């Protein structure tokens, strides 16, 4: 079985979902009152990262937790509705070249995976019309039908993406050499190295240098 693994931010979606989420909270008709508290909470880890006191991975994980806390207790249906409000704006930002590759792989009977650090609920909501066989994202802890803000998030990024990919594909005979992966950042490198056909999508400088050196395809 061949697989095609797609990153989301900067790859399938041309922008950053967290910036979009911040804007959504700030101007939301119901939840906008939580924005100032969220913004005050997010500043310390962000500044700490800029001062090189907090690693980027830790800063991102903490930011995702703070955002979830700002939403308060929500049911799965409420989360789906909240993230679903972003569907049209996200789809407007889809990279048409990447969408074309995704559709091509679908016709070739390739197992198509979306792997991202974004919330799984968000990914499920905004990609309903796309043909993904597996979607891996950051799961939102739930307890008694509501979000559980006391349980720390396990943010899917870097090597954690590989762990989850292999977990989902466990027991399957994967033809890695003839499989594909698409990513835009240096943090996607471990996933790109899994396959025989890595594709750098509008890559950041560090990834672009590696892609050019290794003669990988660049979109």
């Amino acid at each position: 079985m061949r697989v095609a693994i797609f990153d989301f931010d900067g790859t399938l979606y041309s922008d950053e979902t967290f910036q979009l989420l911040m804007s959504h909270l700030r101007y939301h008709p119901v939840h906008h009152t939580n924005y100032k508290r969220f913004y005050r909470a997010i500043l310390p880890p962000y500044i700490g990262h800029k001062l090189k006191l907090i690693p980027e991975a830790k800063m991102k994980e903490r930011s995702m937790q703070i955002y979830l806390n700002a939403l308060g207790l929500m049911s799965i249906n409420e989360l789906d509705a909240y993230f679903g409000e972003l569907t049209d704006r996200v789809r407007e930002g889809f990279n048409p070249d990447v969408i074309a590759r995704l559709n091509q792989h679908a016709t070739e009977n390739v197992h198509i995976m979306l792997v991202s650090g974004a919330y799984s609920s968000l990914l499920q909501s905004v990609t309903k019309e796309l043909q993904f066989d597996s979607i891996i994202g950051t799961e939102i802890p739930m307890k008694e039908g509501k979000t559980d803000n006391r349980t720390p998030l396990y943010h899917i990024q870097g090597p954690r993406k590989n762990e989850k990919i292999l977990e989902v594909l466990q027991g399957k005979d994967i033809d890695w050499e003839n499989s594909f992966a698409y990513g835009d950042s240096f943090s996607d490198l471990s996933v790109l190295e899994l396959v025989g056909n890595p594709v750098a999508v509008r890559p950041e400088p560090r990834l672009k240098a590696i892609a050019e050196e290794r003669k990988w395809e660049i979109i």
Side-chain angles (χ1 to χ4, degrees):
M1 184 175 83
R2 294 183 297 155
V3 298
I5 306 167
F6 290 84
D7 175 49
F8 194 70
D9 286 21
T11 304
L12 178 61
Y13 176 57
S14 299
D15 297 313
E16 295 293 322
T17 53
F18 198 76
Q19 293 296 322
L20 182 63
L21 286 170
M22 287 179 62
S23 177
H24 190 48
L25 178 63
R26 184 176 184 179
Y27 299 107
H28 196 274
V30 176
H31 299 284
H32 70 276
T33 54
N34 298 326
Y35 181 78
K36 288 184 178 179
R37 179 165 56 89
F38 156 76
Y39 191 75
R40 287 195 298 268
I42 206 173
L43 276 179
Y46 178 76
I47 294 172
H49 169 63
K50 288 298 182 181
L51 295 175
K52 301 187 185 303
L53 300 174
I54 298 177
E56 182 178 16
K58 187 68 175 178
M59 182 272 293
K60 288 184 175 180
E61 186 168 59
R62 181 62 185 146
S63 298
M64 295 280 283
Q65 183 72 64
I66 292 170
Y67 190 90
L68 184 60
N69 293 347
L71 294 179
L73 299 181
M74 299 178 76
S75 68
I76 292 176
N77 288 339
E78 289 170 332
L79 281 171
D80 289 345
Y82 179 81
F83 291 132
E85 293 165 357
L86 293 168
T87 299
D88 289 342
R89 292 169 64 185
V90 170
R91 287 176 181 169
E92 289 172 0
F94 281 163
N95 184 323
D97 294 326
V98 177
I99 292 291
R101 290 299 183 90
L102 192 157
N103 291 335
Q104 177 185 337
H105 291 312
T107 64
E108 297 169 345
N109 200 31
V110 175
H111 185 93
I112 304 173
M113 307 181 74
L114 179 61
V115 184
S116 170
Y119 301 115
S120 296
S121 298
L122 170 64
L123 297 172
Q124 295 280 359
S125 293
V126 301
T127 63
K128 286 181 179 179
E129 294 185 0
L130 300 178
Q131 300 183 57
F132 286 108
D133 298 296
S134 304
I135 295 180
I136 297 171
T138 297
E139 297 293 339
I140 296 176
M142 305 294 292
K143 185 177 181 180
E144 298 178 354
K146 296 286 186 178
T147 49
D148 177 12
N149 294 337
R150 294 187 176 184
T151 299
L153 285 176
Y154 187 75
H155 188 213
I156 304 302
Q157 55 179 314
R160 291 179 179 180
K161 290 185 176 182
N162 294 59
E163 294 173 7
K164 289 297 182 179
I165 290 167
L166 296 178
E167 181 181 310
V168 168
L169 297 176
Q170 185 175 8
K172 295 180 172 62
D173 184 16
I174 307 300
D175 180 1
W176 292 107
E177 184 60 31
N178 290 301
S179 291
F180 300 79
Y182 299 81
D184 71 298
S185 70
F186 184 76
S187 64
D188 298 318
L189 184 60
S190 61
V191 175
L192 292 167
E193 290 177 332
L194 276 176
V195 302
N197 299 286
V199 182
V201 180
R202 297 180 182 175
E204 64 170 333
R206 288 183 297 173
L207 180 61
K208 184 177 182 180
I210 292 172
E212 290 176 342
E213 179 184 350
R214 301 184 185 181
K215 295 181 171 47
W216 290 353
E217 182 183 359
I218 297 177
I219 293 178

